[in-house]
Amino acid sequence: MGWYMVKSGLNDNPHVSHFRLAIHQGLALLLIVSILWTILTVNEDKNAISKNHSSILRISYASLILLSLQITLGAFVAGLKAGFSYINFPFMGDSFFPPAIVIKLEPYFYNGVMLQFTHRWLAFVVFFSFLWILKISRSYQETQKYARILIIVGITQVLLGITTLMLYVPLALGVIHQFIAIILLMLLIKIIHILKHPMTPAAAKM
Ligand code: HEM
């Protein structure tokens, strides 16, 4: 996939297809998630009693889907260099919505401005899903610990995204922003793993 992505245009004009970039990033994340899941499964307590965590598990899966969508949109924004289009927040230029002329300029998946608009506001939906996990994880001590970390890292990520945008996307901040997205993904996977395979019998009884 890396080869296929590079083939899309690093020769004369250093710009690759944002779709291929997103798939390449998605595959890298899938590898990270698979490795993490394997490590967690190898280390799990085989005697732990499993309990029905269906409601919090459902919210966690929904949050995982939203986060994956947000990460894919992030790759679209980076791939189209759309972070440079509007650098004020919460407005884009003088208004909340991008100007109608810009919206109509290109189809949605090629329209950097619209993709940036979706990325900036989907962040809050993702964060809301983290808050929901924290709220219903009150009765699961081990999950709650990770849900709290998820909130702290989530706030950091949203503030960092806004800062990256407002400072005209410095390379270092873009890289840290991508790195923290991976941390968020790993935290969510850890929470899902705890819910599906309790680490300790004590956690399962709660
Ligand atoms: C849950 C919250 C968020 C997550 C998980 C997230 C994730 C990501 C990811 C994975 C990328 C791609 C990085 C790359 O491929 O180089 C990205 C790019 C970007 N994000 Fe976010 N993001 C979040 C919130 C925000 C917010 C709130 C803003 C601004 C309002 C923002 C602005 C940007 C910008 C400008 C880029 C492009 C950076 C570049 O060109 O290198 N992000 N985001």
Side-chain angles (χ1 to χ4, degrees):
M1 194 60 220
W3 168 80
Y4 186 57
M5 179 186 75
V6 169
K7 194 169 167 279
S8 68
L10 274 187
N11 288 344
D12 309 317
N13 170 22
H15 175 84
V16 295
S17 149
H18 59 295
F19 295 117
R20 297 185 197 183
L21 176 76
I23 298 172
H24 185 56
Q25 178 182 260
L27 287 172
L29 295 180
L30 204 61
L31 266 178
I32 292 174
V33 166
S34 309
I35 293 168
L36 177 64
W37 191 267
T38 308
I39 293 171
L40 293 174
T41 306
V42 166
N43 290 326
E44 82 189 13
D45 181 352
K46 301 282 186 286
N47 298 319
I49 313 141
S50 207
K51 218 185 158 198
N52 185 9
H53 298 307
S54 56
S55 64
I56 181 167
L57 199 53
R58 264 201 303 274
I59 307 295
S60 304
Y61 280 138
S63 185
L64 182 65
I65 291 169
L66 287 171
L67 181 64
S68 306
L69 200 62
Q70 175 70 343
I71 288 175
T72 307
L73 278 169
F76 287 171
V77 172
L80 287 171
K81 300 184 178 57
F84 300 101
S85 56
Y86 282 92
I87 62 162
N88 56 334
F89 186 90
F91 291 137
M92 295 180 94
D94 297 328
S95 57
F96 180 78
F97 288 106
I101 181 135
V102 179
I103 298 176
K104 287 187 198 136
L105 212 58
E106 275 148 327
Y108 178 80
F109 284 105
Y110 292 87
N111 191 323
V113 174
M114 280 315 290
L115 291 166
Q116 194 214 104
F117 177 80
T118 318
H119 185 68
R120 40 167 89 189
W121 295 114
L122 184 64
F124 293 88
V125 181
V126 172
F127 185 69
F128 178 75
S129 74
F130 295 166
L131 282 175
W132 202 351
I133 293 176
L134 178 67
K135 185 174 177 287
I136 56 176
S137 72
R138 277 204 192 116
S139 24
Y140 314 101
Q141 205 182 30
E142 204 168 342
T143 318
Q144 197 183 31
K145 185 175 89 186
Y146 288 97
R148 284 195 182 125
I149 303 174
L150 194 66
I151 296 293
I152 295 166
V153 182
I155 293 173
T156 309
Q157 176 71 335
V158 171
L159 293 179
L160 183 68
I162 296 171
T163 311
T164 306
L165 187 78
M166 294 180 92
L167 294 180
Y168 205 59
V169 197
L171 181 63
L173 289 194
V175 171
I176 299 171
H177 188 58
Q178 190 178 33
F179 180 72
I180 295 184
I182 300 173
I183 304 289
L184 283 174
L185 184 65
M186 290 172 79
L187 281 167
L188 212 43
I189 294 297
K190 171 73 183 168
I191 289 172
I192 292 173
H193 193 275
I194 293 173
L195 294 169
K196 286 185 74 73
H197 314 258
M199 282 291 284
T200 61
K205 279 185 208 127
M206 284 190 218

